[in-house]
Amino acid sequence: MTVFKLALVQLAVGAQKAANLANARAKVLEAAQAGAQLVVLPECFNSPYGTQYFSDYAEEINTENMSESIAALSSMARDSQVYLVGGSIPERDHKTQQLFNTCTIWSPQGTLLAKHRKIHLFDIDFPGKIVFKESEVLSAGDSITEFTTPWGKFGVAICYDIRFPELAMIAARRGCIGMLYPGAFNMTTGPLHWELLLRARAVDNQIFAAVCSPARDETASYHAWGHSTIVDPHARVLATTDEKQSIVYADLDTDLLDSARRSVPIYSQRRFDVYPDIAAKK
Ligand SMILES: O=C(O)CCC(=O)C(=O)O
């Protein structure tokens, strides 16, 4: 049996970047103190969420010459000795000047393990409820992201990416034991789909899945749903919260992967003679 502790930091995020970074650092250290070995921060944790903010808060991701948020992430991983999925920040590509919504993933030594640029941009028009068009300012990433820990591999994707089951399916079939999603759903699609999508990704693939939101700020232009949640390979909710700043913890037992897959053996029942295996390497 291998058990490790996952923590989701549902962070209160405001307009001051330095305060957001200091708060993230304090909460990551608190999670590590409580025994967490893998910690996730929310989507857009260094800036308020909104297309009007991305350019002002954007940073280049350069480990040779670290900018404010990148240096903060590296040192919070190192000082707390955890694997850190660093939520996301608006990234400015040095060469093209394009902006991306990007998650960086850090080792307990503070080295960059991987980076995920949000692949599916959040462009929705829910009449009378919410219109949001990330593509007005952001460009989309074009690669699938995973990283390795002592407990197994994890796939990473950002918020709206969770609606595209292919990413979790590919990660799981390539051996990932879980999907980690920094996210920031809203007051319309949060109650409708947040938990449903997370549990669907888990049950489809019999993996762990977790989604980490910012806390809700009623004074901000975007009201995040909150409710950061961790589910197991049976798609049971292991831990969740409300809309306020908090840390959500769960002990993940990797034996559950085998037991879920033995009980409902979809891994050996797939019919790639009838439909293609989208995870097959071309
Ligand atoms: O898919 C949704 O309903 C919300 C997605 C979102 O908020 C995002 O991608 O940032």
Side-chain angles (χ1 to χ4, degrees):
M1 183 172 88
T2 305
V3 180
F4 63 98
K5 196 183 279 294
L6 169 65
L8 311 180
V9 174
Q10 183 165 297
L11 197 73
V13 174
Q16 302 301 323
K17 188 192 274 189
N20 294 334
L21 296 176
N23 191 21
R25 178 181 171 82
K27 290 291 162 189
V28 170
L29 287 167
E30 180 185 327
Q33 198 69 40
Q37 295 147 290
L38 173 59
V39 179
V40 184
L41 288 168
E43 181 179 27
C44 225
F45 82 95
N46 72 348
S47 105
Y49 187 60
T51 51
Q52 69 274 37
Y53 301 111
F54 293 149
S55 179
D56 287 348
Y57 287 76
E59 295 179 31
E60 190 194 342
I61 297 174
N62 177 350
T63 50
E64 303 298 308
N65 180 15
M66 290 193 192
S67 57
E68 198 180 351
S69 303
I70 298 306
L73 283 161
S74 171
S75 68
M76 66 182 98
R78 189 182 58 239
D79 296 345
S80 57
Q81 302 263 292
V82 296
Y83 284 84
L84 179 64
V85 176
S88 77
I89 64 164
E91 176 198 1
R92 176 171 282 105
D93 185 287
H94 178 60
K95 290 201 190 93
T96 63
Q97 293 301 308
Q98 286 169 297
L99 297 176
F100 296 90
N101 185 340
T102 304
C103 174
T104 53
I105 298 130
W106 301 87
S107 76
Q109 291 74 40
T111 55
L112 184 66
L113 295 175
K115 122 179 159 174
H116 178 78
R117 288 173 164 171
K118 191 176 190 174
I119 297 175
H120 304 92
L121 296 180
F122 178 40
D123 284 357
I124 65 163
D125 186 351
F126 213 117
K129 302 279 190 191
I130 175 170
V131 178
F132 204 96
K133 291 240 176 316
E134 273 189 328
S135 65
E136 282 172 356
V137 290
L138 296 184
S139 300
D142 57 10
S143 52
I144 291 178
T145 306
E146 58 181 53
F147 69 101
T148 302
T149 71
W151 316 287
K153 287 193 298 177
F154 285 86
V156 174
I158 301 176
C159 206
Y160 198 63
D161 282 336
I162 199 175
R163 292 188 179 274
F164 299 84
E166 290 86 351
L167 295 182
M169 211 179 275
I170 290 169
R173 297 218 198 126
R174 290 185 182 165
C176 290
I177 66 167
M179 281 299 293
L180 302 171
Y181 299 96
F185 270 38
N186 52 77
M187 301 300 289
T188 301
T189 61
L192 270 178
H193 295 151
W194 174 260
E195 186 183 311
L196 176 68
L197 286 165
L198 187 67
R199 296 183 65 202
R201 297 298 78 88
V203 78
D204 281 349
N205 302 293
Q206 299 174 317
I207 53 172
F208 295 99
V211 61
C212 181
S213 172
R216 189 175 311 152
D217 175 359
E218 299 286 359
T219 67
S221 54
Y222 185 91
H223 297 157
W225 173 235
H227 295 82
S228 298
T229 301
I230 303 171
V231 303
D232 77 3
H234 291 286
R236 294 177 296 207
V237 173
L238 295 180
T240 189
T241 188
D242 55 17
E243 76 286 1
K244 295 188 274 301
Q245 175 162 284
S246 58
I247 306 180
V248 175
Y249 297 97
D251 291 320
L252 307 190
D253 177 353
T254 55
D255 283 356
L256 280 177
L257 294 154
D258 277 347
S259 73
R261 292 172 193 187
R262 265 199 311 274
S263 317
V264 185
I266 56 174
Y267 273 74
S268 56
Q269 292 170 327
R270 289 206 168 95
R271 293 289 309 275
F272 296 135
D273 56 325
V274 178
Y275 46 79
D277 177 2
I278 59 162
K281 289 230 161 74
K282 295 214 170 79

